[in-house]
Amino acid sequence: MLNIVVCDVDNKFLDTLEEKIKDYLSRNPNLKFQTLRFLNAESLLEKDISDIDIIFMGVQLQTMTGIDAATILRQKSEHFILIFVSNFIEYAPLGYQVNASRYIIKDQLEQFFAEAMTTALSELELHSNKINIDEIIYMESNLHKVHFKLTNSDRSLYLYGTLNGMQNKLAQDHFVRIHQSYLVNLKHLINAKNYKATLTQGIELPISQNLFSKVKQRLLTYKTSI
C-alpha cells in the first residue's frame, strides 16, 4: 500500500492534486494506494508518519510554513519523499534543506507533476529493494525505465525514471556518465580506451566521443583517491 499525504490550506487545490495522483497511479492497476488530506500543518504533525511514502506539502500553512513543518517531520522520519507545491518560488532553496525531492510552482503542476511522481516512485522502489551502491555496475536507460546491472547476475532491477534523475540522486563521486544511455559506477570501471569502457565481469560499453576526456579524467581522479 502506497500512502500519500497532501497538505495545503486550499481545498480546491487539494482536489486537483488528489485527482492527478489518482489518474497517474491508475496506470498501474496492481498498485494499491491511499491519500490522506490535511488542511493545516498541526494535524499532520500529530500523525504517526512512519508508514507515509510521499508528502505533497504547501508552503503557506496558516500558523507555520511548510518548511518549518517539514523540518519537524524529518526529525520523525527520513524515509518519505517530500514534494513542495507552492505559489512562492522564493522558498525553493529552503525546500532542499529538508531534502525535498521537488519544488513545484502550483500553476506549473500540469507540466511537472508526472515527472515528480515518476522520480518519487523510483526512489521508493530503489529504497525498498535495498540496493547497495557498490552492487551497481552500471545503469542503462530504456525508454522510460532504467535497467540496473548488478554484481549479482541473477538479480534484475528495472525502475521507472531517467538516467538524469538517477544521476542527480546518487553520489556524484561514485558515478560517471559515459554515454547518453549509460551511467557507470566508477568502482567497477577498469579502463577507458578507444572510446570503450571496460568494466568488471568482462563488460564493455561504448563511450561517447564528447564524454571520453571527462570519463578518463574522472577515472584517474577516482583511482588516485582510493
Side-chain angles (χ1 to χ4, degrees), residues 100-118:
S101 174
R102 290 291 184 275
Y103 191 104
I104 304 175
I105 301 303
K106 285 185 177 180
D107 62 9
Q108 296 178 344
L109 186 67
E110 186 70 31
Q111 181 180 354
F112 293 108
F113 176 81
E115 187 273 338
M117 278 296 292
T118 298

Side-chain angles (χ1 to χ4, degrees), residues 8-16 37 39:
D8 194 82
V9 295
D10 187 342
N11 244 324
K12 289 185 177 180
F13 178 74
L14 291 183
D15 288 339
T16 299
R37 177 189 289 224
L39 286 169

Side-chain angles (χ1 to χ4, degrees), residues 25-208:
L25 294 178
S26 66
R27 304 173 192 176
N28 185 350
N30 296 320
L31 180 60
K32 298 184 182 299
F33 70 95
Q34 65 175 347
T35 58
L36 306 171
R37 177 189 289 224
F38 296 88
L39 286 169
N40 58 72
E42 289 80 5
S43 298
L44 175 55
L45 292 174
E46 292 174 358
K47 179 178 173 53
D48 177 7
I49 64 165
S50 59
D51 61 346
I52 297 302
D53 299 297
I54 302 172
I55 297 179
F56 286 90
M57 177 86 75
V59 169
Q60 295 292 359
L61 299 174
Q62 296 178 350
T63 60
M64 70 172 65
T65 69
I67 307 296
D68 291 335
T71 300
I72 298 172
L73 291 171
R74 281 295 184 209
Q75 294 171 0
K76 297 182 177 183
S77 173
E78 284 288 337
H79 300 305
F80 63 86
I81 306 300
L82 176 62
I83 300 172
F84 281 108
V85 282
S86 171
N87 287 322
F88 305 95
I89 186 64
E90 60 267 27
Y91 286 93
L94 296 176
Y96 297 107
Q97 292 181 10
V98 286
N99 296 328
S101 174
R102 290 291 184 275
Y103 191 104
I104 304 175
I105 301 303
K106 285 185 177 180
D107 62 9
Q108 296 178 344
L109 186 67
E110 186 70 31
Q111 181 180 354
F112 293 108
F113 176 81
E115 187 273 338
M117 278 296 292
T118 298
T119 300
L121 293 178
S122 293
E123 289 183 42
L124 288 171
E125 193 168 355
L126 188 60
H127 177 75
S128 67
N129 279 278
K130 295 179 174 63
I131 298 297
N132 187 302
I133 285 179
D134 289 345
E135 292 183 64
I136 304 171
I137 300 177
Y138 68 89
M139 285 166 273
E140 179 181 6
S141 63
N142 182 11
L143 297 177
H144 300 295
K145 289 185 178 181
V146 175
H147 172 222
F148 286 69
K149 176 63 177 176
L150 306 175
T151 52
N152 181 352
S153 59
D154 295 329
R155 187 178 183 189
S156 294
L157 177 62
Y158 290 84
L159 300 183
Y160 285 100
T162 65
L163 279 186
N164 286 340
M166 295 297 174
Q167 189 170 9
N168 289 336
K169 294 299 177 184
L170 293 166
Q172 296 295 311
D173 56 344
H174 281 84
F175 291 86
V176 62
R177 191 70 167 264
I178 67 166
H179 188 277
Q180 181 179 356
S181 300
Y182 297 106
L183 183 64
V184 167
N185 189 341
L186 285 161
K187 179 181 177 66
H188 295 285
L189 180 56
I190 298 172
N191 197 9
K193 187 177 181 180
N194 298 328
Y195 302 108
K196 288 185 179 180
T198 303
L199 284 71
T200 54
Q201 299 190 1
I203 298 169
E204 282 194 349
L205 297 175
I207 303 176
S208 298

